[in-house]
Amino acid sequence: MRYLNIRLHWRQLSVLLEAVILICVTFFPHSLNPLANSLTSFACGIQVESFRKIRNRGAATTMCIGNLRNGTENLHRFLRTHDRKAFYNALLFYGIILCFIIGAVLGNFVIKRFHEKSILVCSALLFIAFFMMFVNKEQK
């Protein structure tokens, strides 16, 4: 019988830790809101530190301003030089911003439906991301 031999990358562990923290925070009573806020901020900090780059380009995964600047800079470079790499970089950064917008709209609907338990949706998405990190695209 073969044993499952899976090695976790530290980024996978960080996503797993974020998901677990957010699940725990969901069930805190309102009297522990300061602790819940601190732990949620800690989970965001883990996200910021763990995922500084996307496709070897510096990108922010928890805020938009830097991505907007980088996307616009690359778009300007493409319009000026017709450099295809700059165009694809612009698409990457604007795609990240589009994901923020979609997340904000969907988050609004989820909050109206689930109220304080909405953070469980974030945990579910983090678990999906965690398992997606096991897919090795280079082997395909």
Side-chain angles (χ1 to χ4, degrees):
M1 181 176 195
R2 298 171 89 181
Y3 292 98
L4 190 61
N5 184 13
I6 296 176
R7 290 199 172 167
L8 294 177
H9 189 274
W10 66 270
R11 285 189 178 100
Q12 290 168 308
L13 289 174
S14 70
V15 170
L16 184 62
L17 180 61
E18 287 177 63
V20 170
I21 288 171
L22 295 179
I23 287 172
C24 292
V25 164
T26 303
F27 299 103
F28 283 10
H30 290 287
S31 62
L32 294 179
N33 274 353
L35 178 60
N37 287 337
S38 297
L39 287 172
T40 302
S41 295
F42 178 65
C44 289
I46 291 172
Q47 176 74 22
V48 168
E49 282 301 312
S50 297
F51 301 96
R52 291 174 172 239
K53 291 185 177 186
I54 297 175
R55 295 188 179 174
N56 291 325
R57 286 157 194 83
T61 56
T62 59
M63 49 201 126
C64 284
I65 292 296
N67 296 331
L68 181 59
R69 187 194 67 76
N70 287 334
T72 304
E73 178 183 350
N74 279 284
L75 180 60
H76 177 263
R77 185 178 308 130
F78 168 73
L79 293 173
R80 199 174 31 125
T81 66
H82 302 289
D83 177 12
R84 284 182 166 274
K85 185 177 178 183
F87 177 72
Y88 291 121
N89 287 342
L91 287 179
L92 174 72
F93 288 112
Y94 289 134
I96 294 168
I97 294 168
L98 180 63
C99 287
F100 277 112
I101 294 168
I102 292 168
V105 170
L106 292 176
N108 186 43
F109 289 116
V110 170
I111 288 170
K112 287 180 180 178
R113 173 76 170 99
F114 298 111
H115 308 286
E116 291 90 3
K117 304 301 183 211
S118 296
I119 202 162
L120 289 174
V121 174
C122 297
S123 294
L125 293 172
L126 285 168
F127 278 119
I128 291 169
F130 172 74
F131 288 113
M132 287 175 64
M133 292 172 86
F134 286 101
V135 176
N136 188 351
K137 289 194 290 188
E138 283 79 29
Q139 285 182 344
K140 289 185 177 182

